[in-house]
Amino acid sequence: MELTRQKLEGPIEMIYSSAGEVTHLFEIMKKYGVRCSLELNTNDSANSLISIAQAAVKVDYLEGDTVVIHLDEAEFAFDLENHCFGKYVSDCQIDICISSEHYVAWFNSGTIPEEGIEEASHLSNEYKDEYCAIEMTDKQAAAEELVKVAGLLRNGWNVCECSFDSTEDTRTLYLTMNNSQ
């Protein structure tokens, strides 16, 4: 399944993010004792399937590439393979969007102190994505791009999305890599 950034559009302009970055944003909410709300919407309904208001938040990252968000006693698991992550950090709160082919989960924090917003705003420098398009029919260009990918992998970067496009004239491998855990 290929998820596109267009699924992150909404009333506010969400910024494409990574699981690592949104995990840290949830940790910032917890660190500052901020409560979090959730609206879970299916793609085929205008009404919320689940709504939770003002819950204590906790986040776990499980081996096997799954992010688990705890809101009070409720748990929501999102695997990295089938979900896109988005964020928006305003001057007083954090909004997070986690979307799949079938639903969208919107999380928003209560008011966060200025130092928490400052911490959240600087995370984006730590969690940048690198996009690689490796044209397999051009051996020289493919070799150069693979050297770049190998260097990123050696430096602890991860492949978080991978797709392949093949037409009569081209065969392109697309990789999205990031340095989040």
Side-chain angles (χ1 to χ4, degrees):
M1 169 190 1
E2 186 171 324
L3 300 171
T4 62
R5 296 194 172 126
Q6 286 74 25
K7 291 186 181 235
L8 299 177
E9 293 176 2
I12 59 173
E13 188 175 330
M14 301 298 284
I15 299 168
Y16 185 75
S17 188
S18 66
E21 185 176 19
V22 298
T23 297
H24 277 75
L25 291 172
F26 280 115
E27 288 173 351
I28 289 170
M29 288 182 212
K30 181 181 177 189
K31 175 180 176 181
Y32 290 95
V34 175
R35 312 229 2 118
C36 184
S37 299
L38 161 74
E39 277 193 35
L40 183 70
N41 300 319
T42 60
N43 291 345
D44 58 354
S45 174
N47 297 323
S48 296
L49 178 64
I50 297 172
S51 293
I52 297 175
Q54 300 301 308
V57 65
K58 181 181 145 194
V59 64
D60 293 315
Y61 182 81
L62 302 178
E63 291 298 321
D65 298 330
T66 301
V67 175
V68 180
I69 312 300
H70 306 266
L71 296 177
D72 287 338
E73 301 303 316
E75 292 183 4
F76 303 90
F78 305 97
D79 64 278
L80 276 56
E81 183 178 338
N82 296 309
H83 292 88
C84 284
F85 299 87
K87 66 165 186 172
Y88 179 77
V89 178
S90 75
D91 61 348
C92 64
Q93 78 177 52
I94 297 170
D95 294 291
I96 295 171
C97 170
I98 303 175
S99 66
S100 78
E101 188 176 320
H102 304 289
Y103 60 87
V104 178
W106 296 96
F107 297 88
N108 65 357
S109 71
T111 302
I112 297 178
E114 189 176 318
E115 58 272 12
I117 293 297
E118 184 74 22
E119 191 175 333
S121 298
H122 290 322
L123 278 180
S124 58
N125 293 331
E126 194 175 322
Y127 293 96
K128 291 194 182 216
D129 285 341
E130 186 73 33
Y131 304 99
C132 304
I134 304 169
E135 175 51 55
M136 304 307 279
T137 55
D138 182 346
K139 290 182 182 180
Q140 178 65 30
E144 290 172 10
E145 198 67 22
L146 287 170
V147 166
K148 173 183 166 184
V149 168
L152 291 170
L153 290 170
R154 278 192 294 279
N155 287 314
W157 286 61
N158 303 302
V159 175
C160 57
E161 289 182 37
C162 179
S163 63
F164 187 74
D165 186 24
S166 179
T167 63
E168 271 186 36
D169 300 328
T170 63
R171 286 169 182 69
T172 307
L173 175 65
Y174 296 98
L175 299 174
T176 303
M177 302 180 71
N178 66 46
N179 60 351
S180 64
Q181 295 298 326

